[in-house]
Amino acid sequence: MVAMTNSAAVLADAAAYAAAVEEASRAAAAYYATGESALDDEAYDRLARGIAAYEADHPDEVLADSPTGKVAGGAAVGDVPHTVPMLSLDNVFSAEQFGTWTASLERRIGRPVTAWSVEPKLDGLAVAARYRDGRFERLITRGDGQAGEDVSHAAAAVVGLPQRLSAPVTLEVRGEILMTNEQFEQGNAIRTEHGGAPFANPRNGAAGTLRAKDRAYRVETTFFAYGALPLPDSGALAQTLAELPHSEVLSYVAGLGVHTAAGTDVAPVLATTVEEVQARVDAIASLRAALPFGIDGIVIKADPAADQREAGSGTRAPRWAIAYKLPAVEKITRLLAVEWNVGRTGIIAPRAVLEPVEIDGSTVGYATLHNPADITRRDLRLGDQVMVYKAGDIIPRIEAPVVHLRTGEETPIAFPESCPQCGSDIDASEQRWRCVRGRSCRLVASVSYAAGRDQLDIEGLGTTRVVQLVEGGLVADFADLFTLERAQLLALDRMGETSTDNLLAAIGTARTRPLSRVFCALGVRGTGRSMSRRIARYFATMDRIVAADAETLQRVDGIGKEKAAAVVAELAELAPLIDKLVAAGVNMTEPGATPPPEPGTENEAGAADDGTNGAALPLTGMTVVVTGAMSGALEKLSRNQMNELIERAGGRASSSVSKRTSLLVAGEKAGSKRTKAEDLGVRVAEPEEFAELVGAFLGAGEES
Ligand code: IVH
């Protein structure tokens, strides 16, 4: 009855109209209650447009609970009045429409606009943060634009919204709260561990998180300021804010310690002509997929305060700003099948096979489905039309089935009854199902991972060799590699004297790798390269890691309550393997790391989590980024080895330059990172200069 087109749902009759009104009201209510509606923005808008079209044709059939004309679809929106309405933005979709818009704005104010601020349109929720005498006072959602909901309870978990400003001023900062891609993936991991439903997309995640009051776990979001205005007690600041160009208001806010988009790849820039604006719009559009957070367009604002004042605002949107929309990152496609894949640790994960669909420049054919309970909860069926979300480096995901597009032909999704990899039983006692054989189920994958370049780095041990070893019964876990005998290897197909000797030598070298790599080789869930380095540097020996309880583990930077508990549980499971590694003479210490004091000793509370446990190292407290080709003493180091070096020397390695970066090591052919560091005033060092700084740590972690 209801067919979708790109622009509006087509409602054929009164029954379809009534069903659509009900669905839209339910979605609006759910969104404003929990931030988790089954409809994404675009689908909601399409439905709302369909409803409006039907009502235009049938004015006497309009239902009382129709969302048409009601802000926030008529859902409850909160009761804290905004001092100045929080408006929306009008949209343009092309260079031509943008040109028309600027011309009409310039006609209205009677002169050309001399500067345009071109900014990312952050894909989150608008909020107002009030500060009094430099102290955080209140966080309010946009609500219906006139009044919003008080969500101050959530402010402490919002990155970029300080409790204290750097000056004792009274003002309201407005901006967007969103989940960065990393916060989204992390938030979903925590939620699913707690048996909750994963967030459909980062925006829903941010909305739900802001409103949630009694969660047993903490999920972070990020604030980006895009404006500021005075409050009744602002005093002289009111005049200043009224006269400053928009771009300077943003710098002022950033100077107070509030997070803005400055320092990101899509930082606001000023453009003087329509052509310059368009060039920046194109640049932002092409950077979109690589950004660590979601944007749904570009906002262009007349920068001079006088232009804004004279242009004024309509009831819905200001006349001095416009949103240049980018294509949606959500599309509807069909769910064709569900595959069940067994991961390295024996986890059995469902994956959706989709009718390929183009989303923001890439073709999406698969999407994650998290776990079986999630499939049941969403009542997904094979053949369903599903809303798929794909943005940045987020793994494509199914947000929800589009229920009103069901034809009745859809069929239930069958769950596996035994491990799809080895046929063993399934342990379904937790949300994530697991083969009862755990890691042994995917022995080839776990051994290959352990032997990989960033772990034990055993040259000559590719997957084919590992398969031979496993199939020949020579290896039942990666500790067995260390007790392989020459005759056993020689007996394998295509293993001559030379390759055997080379492999044995490589295994010998692997035995002396630093603890961080040995620990990483264990493949404990949630501990990749950099987390393994942090753990190894903090505890210095495997004994101490294994003996640590969840509370102690949380002293390592980046390990929260959930991860700590999961790591402790997994290490208990891995104890026999670790014992075998020790017995085989594998190194279990981290060079250069000092163990933390025993619990209960005097200095314990002051211990740092950088593995130095207090002693100052050349990079202590510094965040270091490496770019370009290394030279001199650093020439042969891979990026991973450079990061290891940075961390041995007490620093934190990062891959992107921001205002929090302390140092950029820039070799030859350093590109945009160098320019960005220079723009931000970040210190830049040549590889040779850096090698001098950390010389003492060069080679410390590498055995030979
Ligand atoms: S200025 C009075 N700047 O987009 C003008 N808004 O679709 C207020 N948004 O409600 C908005 N990024 O929540 C502005 N750089 C940006 C923005 C931005 C995202 C949101 C904002 C607004 C919505 C309109």
Side-chain angles (χ1 to χ4, degrees):
M1 275 192 305
V2 184
M4 286 294 209
T5 71
N6 269 339
S7 53
V10 179
L11 305 173
D13 54 26
Y17 165 70
V21 167
E22 198 192 319
E23 184 173 6
S25 311
R26 209 176 326 112
Y31 183 77
Y32 284 93
T34 64
E36 284 163 39
S37 140
L39 292 182
D40 62 274
D41 257 14
E42 202 175 294
Y44 180 84
D45 286 350
R46 222 178 283 130
L47 198 60
R49 278 194 294 265
I51 292 171
Y54 186 87
E55 290 171 350
D57 291 345
H58 308 86
D60 25 317
E61 288 179 33
V62 175
L63 291 169
D65 45 0
S66 160
T68 312
K70 294 180 191 157
V71 185
V77 287
D79 54 6
V80 184
H82 290 298
T83 45
V84 173
M86 284 187 84
L87 298 180
S88 189
L89 289 169
D90 286 330
N91 298 321
V92 292
F93 297 88
S94 66
E96 195 191 348
Q97 289 178 354
F98 176 66
T100 312
W101 176 77
T102 51
S104 90
L105 170 58
E106 289 176 341
R107 242 192 335 274
R108 177 179 275 271
I109 62 173
R111 59 175 180 271
V113 172
T114 50
W116 301 99
S117 174
V118 190
E119 314 174 3
K121 184 169 187 307
L122 303 147
D123 192 7
L125 288 94
V127 292
R130 293 187 186 162
Y131 284 90
R132 188 158 305 281
D133 301 324
R135 285 170 204 272
F136 170 79
E137 188 181 59
R138 220 164 191 200
L139 183 64
I140 311 152
T141 64
R142 174 173 155 205
D144 66 357
Q146 302 296 326
E149 214 179 307
D150 189 325
V151 288
S152 307
H153 61 271
V158 181
V159 177
L161 207 53
Q163 286 296 312
R164 290 288 286 268
L165 300 178
S166 65
V169 288
T170 298
L171 85 171
E172 178 169 300
V173 180
R174 287 187 175 179
E176 202 85 350
I177 286 184
L178 51 72
M179 272 186 173
T180 62
N181 298 350
E182 199 180 336
Q183 286 171 334
F184 176 65
E185 303 280 15
Q186 203 162 358
N188 272 339
I190 295 174
R191 248 168 105 75
T192 43
E193 263 167 41
H194 281 254
F199 301 120
N201 58 47
R203 193 196 45 234
N204 284 9
T209 300
L210 265 194
R211 293 194 174 85
K213 281 217 169 106
D214 304 309
R215 272 193 194 151
Y217 49 91
R218 178 186 156 105
V219 173
E220 287 191 344
T221 56
T222 301
F223 178 72
F224 286 82
Y226 54 62
L229 48 141
L231 286 170
D233 302 334
S234 286
L237 180 63
Q239 191 62 25
T240 314
L241 286 177
E243 282 165 12
L244 279 180
H246 168 73
S247 50
E248 287 176 34
V249 171
L250 286 189
S251 319
Y252 173 72
V253 167
L256 290 173
V258 179
H259 186 232
T260 67
T264 70
D265 285 345
V266 290
V269 296
L270 286 181
T272 50
T273 63
V274 170
E275 292 70 30
E276 269 177 39
V277 171
Q278 187 61 44
R280 181 65 183 162
V281 165
D282 295 342
I284 292 179
S286 67
L287 285 167
R288 182 193 202 184
L291 289 177
F293 51 83
I295 63 171
D296 58 344
I298 294 102
V299 182
I300 301 125
K301 303 172 180 170
D303 196 52
D307 290 358
Q308 293 196 359
R309 199 166 44 240
E310 287 166 43
S313 296
T315 51
R316 204 190 85 87
R319 292 191 198 91
W320 44 264
I322 196 87
Y324 199 128
K325 295 285 276 194
L326 290 175
V329 285
E330 289 148 318
K331 286 261 179 82
I332 292 173
T333 188
R334 191 176 297 277
L335 173 62
L336 300 176
V338 174
E339 287 177 350
W340 298 84
N341 299 310
V342 187
R344 205 166 18 87
T345 58
I347 297 277
I348 303 168
R351 180 166 86 145
V353 183
L354 306 169
E355 206 162 83
V357 60
E358 167 112 357
I359 306 183
D360 194 29
S362 64
T363 303
V364 178
Y366 297 96
T368 175
L369 282 172
H370 295 280
N371 54 51
D374 194 42
I375 295 178
T376 310
R377 189 162 28 211
R378 300 184 206 206
D379 185 27
L380 273 180
R381 302 180 198 169
L382 294 181
D384 259 340
Q385 296 281 0
V386 290
M387 187 59 71
V388 178
Y389 179 94
K390 160 86 184 89
D393 57 2
I394 288 179
I395 304 162
R397 56 204 304 109
I398 291 187
E399 295 187 324
V402 187
V403 177
H404 63 261
L405 291 184
R406 283 203 171 135
T407 60
E409 306 267 295
E410 297 76 16
T411 55
I413 293 169
F415 291 178
E417 283 168 7
S418 57
C419 171
Q421 178 76 24
C422 71
S424 304
D425 284 346
I426 293 176
D427 172 2
S429 60
E430 302 207 7
Q431 293 264 323
R432 301 213 282 178
W433 289 9
R434 203 170 172 204
C435 170
V436 288
R437 293 178 61 219
R439 287 182 157 74
S440 315
C441 174
R442 292 295 313 276
L443 193 51
V444 170
S446 0
V447 174
S448 301
Y449 175 78
R453 227 182 118 199
D454 294 330
Q455 291 76 33
L456 298 175
D457 196 10
I458 307 182
E459 215 174 304
L461 194 57
T463 311
T464 328
R465 276 274 127 81
V466 175
V467 170
Q468 270 185 306
L469 293 172
V470 168
E471 285 182 351
L474 298 180
V475 163
D477 56 40
F478 79 85
D480 287 340
L481 294 172
F482 295 102
T483 49
L484 283 172
E485 284 169 18
R486 196 162 187 272
Q488 291 176 312
L489 290 175
L490 277 172
L492 296 173
D493 268 358
R494 297 180 308 280
M495 273 302 262
E497 301 252 341
T498 316
S499 24
T500 298
D501 290 338
N502 288 347
L503 183 55
L504 285 172
I507 292 173
T509 307
R511 198 180 261 117
T512 65
R513 297 277 182 228
L515 172 63
S516 50
R517 281 166 169 265
V518 177
F519 184 82
C520 192
L522 293 173
V524 176
R525 269 171 281 162
T527 64
R529 288 174 306 189
S530 93
M531 180 56 78
S532 296
R533 283 198 294 267
R534 268 179 263 158
I535 293 175
R537 290 203 61 76
Y538 183 80
F539 290 103
T541 69
M542 184 70 96
D543 281 352
R544 289 195 184 82
I545 302 179
V546 172
D549 56 15
E551 203 180 306
T552 315
L553 264 172
Q554 284 176 62
R555 295 191 200 147
V556 178
D557 190 17
I559 300 195
K561 222 168 156 186
E562 285 76 22
K563 187 173 267 183
V567 172
V568 168
E570 222 174 312
L571 283 174
E573 194 179 295
L574 287 164
L577 173 61
I578 297 172
D579 289 347
K580 250 172 108 174
L581 289 166
V582 173
V586 175
N587 170 55
M588 292 288 161
T589 60
E590 185 68 359
T594 352
E598 293 300 321
T601 59
E602 276 172 38
N603 296 330
E604 193 213 347
D609 65 358
D610 56 4
T612 68
N613 300 306
L617 293 172
L619 302 180
T620 298
M622 292 174 73
T623 299
V624 183
V625 179
V626 179
T627 189
M630 293 298 104
S631 47
L634 307 177
E635 189 175 353
K636 296 227 159 60
L637 299 194
S638 67
R639 272 296 180 271
N640 187 44
Q641 289 170 321
M642 280 297 290
N643 292 344
E644 286 176 337
L645 171 62
I646 290 165
E647 288 170 18
R648 275 202 302 279
R652 217 174 193 290
S654 166
S655 57
S656 60
V657 175
S658 75
K659 62 182 176 200
R660 280 180 288 277
T661 310
S662 332
L663 177 69
L664 176 75
V665 185
E668 243 184 80
K669 300 215 185 79
S672 61
K673 285 188 189 164
R674 182 175 195 131
T675 325
K676 190 162 163 194
E678 284 164 359
D679 287 351
L680 291 170
V682 168
R683 189 179 144 204
V684 179
E686 307 297 325
E688 288 70 17
E689 189 187 340
F690 184 69
E692 255 171 55
L693 187 66
V694 296
F697 298 84
L698 249 175
E702 296 301 311
E703 45 306 312
S704 58

